[in-house]
Amino acid sequence: MQLAALLVMLLTSILLEVAAPVPPITIPITPDQSVTVTTTETPSGSPMEQPLSPVPLLVIETYTPTPTPTEKPIILLTPTLQPTKRPTVAPTPTPLTVSLYELINQWRTSTGRTSFVESPLSCQIATQRLPQVVKQFSHTGFDQMLPSLYANNPNLHSVAENLANASSAQIAFNNWLNSPTHRTNLESNRPFMCFRQSGRIFVQIFTDL
């Protein structure tokens, strides 16, 4: 009887140790994730029954990191500069033109005559005649426009023309002085004179209006 009681006590203590709960086991996975494993077992039956093998249950807890927002690049817009409009500068007379005016008026002053001045009509005729003379060096176009000039300008009574094909203003002036018909125009009492020049071509118009 004593031996049987000792056996019963020994078996009971063994069963109590087997049925003790198993502590949870934590297995680290990554710095951002971890897995918690909790094991449980079914308690055994009566002391005379053979103990069952524990069945572990796995509980997995996951952690999803919050994504860091990507900074969008800052785009700087460069304003479009509007081009500055340059003021239109009126063309100035060429050195040949200026010197020819000076040569003629200095000569007239030295001979006791008044200096020529420009008029709108004389310059209008000279401007119209220049391309014609460049194309054809003659007085033909001037003679053809005389009737309309007098008809459209009743106060116009006298108009004349000098032409020159020369490499400089001085040569053109000398050629006119040495030609009786051209010199007559330079000596006339018409108060207005205007001329236009293109390269070697000089057109000089005299009017009394």
Side-chain angles (χ1 to χ4, degrees), residues 15 37 55 66 91-92 105 115 124 139 164 177 192:
L15 290 175
V37 180
V55 179
T66 303
T92 56
N105 283 330
S115 297
Q124 175 186 343
H139 294 286
L177 286 180
F192 306 110

Coordinates of all heavy atoms in Angstrom, one line a residue, residues 15 37 55 66 91-92 105 115 124 139 164 177 192:
L15 N 2.7 14.9 -13.9 CA 1.6 15.4 -14.7 C 1.5 16.9 -14.5 O 1.2 17.7 -15.4 CB 0.3 14.7 -14.4 CG 0.2 13.3 -14.8 CD1 -1.1 12.6 -14.4 CD2 0.3 13.2 -16.4
V37 N 5.2 34.7 -30.8 CA 4.7 33.3 -30.9 C 4.2 33.0 -29.5 O 5.0 33.0 -28.5 CB 5.8 32.3 -31.3 CG1 5.3 30.9 -31.3 CG2 6.3 32.8 -32.7
V55 N 0.2 21.5 -28.7 CA 0.0 22.1 -30.0 C 0.2 23.6 -30.0 O -0.6 24.3 -29.4 CB -1.4 21.8 -30.6 CG1 -1.6 22.4 -32.0 CG2 -1.7 20.3 -30.6
T66 N 5.2 53.9 -42.2 CA 4.6 54.9 -43.0 C 5.6 55.5 -44.0 O 6.7 55.9 -43.6 CB 4.1 56.1 -42.1 OG1 3.2 55.5 -41.1 CG2 3.4 57.2 -42.9
P91 N 17.8 109.5 -91.0 CA 19.1 109.5 -91.7 C 19.7 110.9 -91.8 O 19.0 111.8 -92.1 CB 18.9 108.8 -93.0 CG 17.4 109.1 -93.3 CD 16.8 109.0 -92.0
T92 N 21.0 111.0 -91.6 CA 21.6 112.3 -91.7 C 22.3 112.4 -93.1 O 22.6 111.3 -93.7 CB 22.7 112.4 -90.7 OG1 23.6 111.3 -90.8 CG2 22.1 112.4 -89.3
N105 N 27.0 127.2 -101.5 CA 26.6 128.5 -100.8 C 27.8 129.3 -100.4 O 27.7 130.6 -100.4 CB 25.8 128.1 -99.5 CG 24.4 127.7 -99.8 OD1 23.8 128.2 -100.8 ND2 23.8 126.9 -99.0
S115 N 22.5 132.7 -100.1 CA 22.6 131.3 -100.1 C 21.3 130.6 -100.4 O 20.2 131.1 -100.2 CB 23.0 130.8 -98.7 OG 24.3 131.3 -98.3
Q124 N 10.9 117.6 -103.1 CA 10.0 116.6 -103.6 C 10.4 116.2 -105.0 O 10.4 115.0 -105.4 CB 8.5 117.1 -103.6 CG 7.5 116.2 -104.2 CD 6.1 116.8 -104.3 OE1 5.8 117.8 -103.7 NE2 5.3 116.2 -105.2
H139 N 18.1 114.2 -118.8 CA 17.0 115.1 -118.3 C 15.7 114.8 -118.9 O 14.7 115.6 -118.8 CB 17.4 116.6 -118.8 CG 18.6 117.1 -118.1 ND1 18.6 117.5 -116.8 CD2 19.9 117.4 -118.6 CE1 19.8 118.0 -116.5 NE2 20.6 117.9 -117.6
A164 N 24.9 115.4 -112.2 CA 26.3 115.1 -112.2 C 26.6 113.7 -111.9 O 25.8 113.1 -111.1 CB 27.1 116.0 -111.2
L177 N 30.4 124.4 -112.5 CA 31.0 125.7 -112.8 C 31.6 125.9 -114.2 O 31.5 127.0 -114.8 CB 32.0 126.1 -111.7 CG 31.5 126.4 -110.3 CD1 32.7 126.7 -109.4 CD2 30.5 127.6 -110.3
F192 N 15.3 128.8 -103.9 CA 15.3 127.4 -103.3 C 16.1 126.4 -104.2 O 16.0 126.5 -105.4 CB 13.8 127.0 -103.2 CG 12.9 127.9 -102.5 CD1 11.9 128.7 -103.1 CD2 13.1 128.1 -101.1 CE1 11.1 129.5 -102.5 CE2 12.3 129.0 -100.4 CZ 11.3 129.7 -101.1

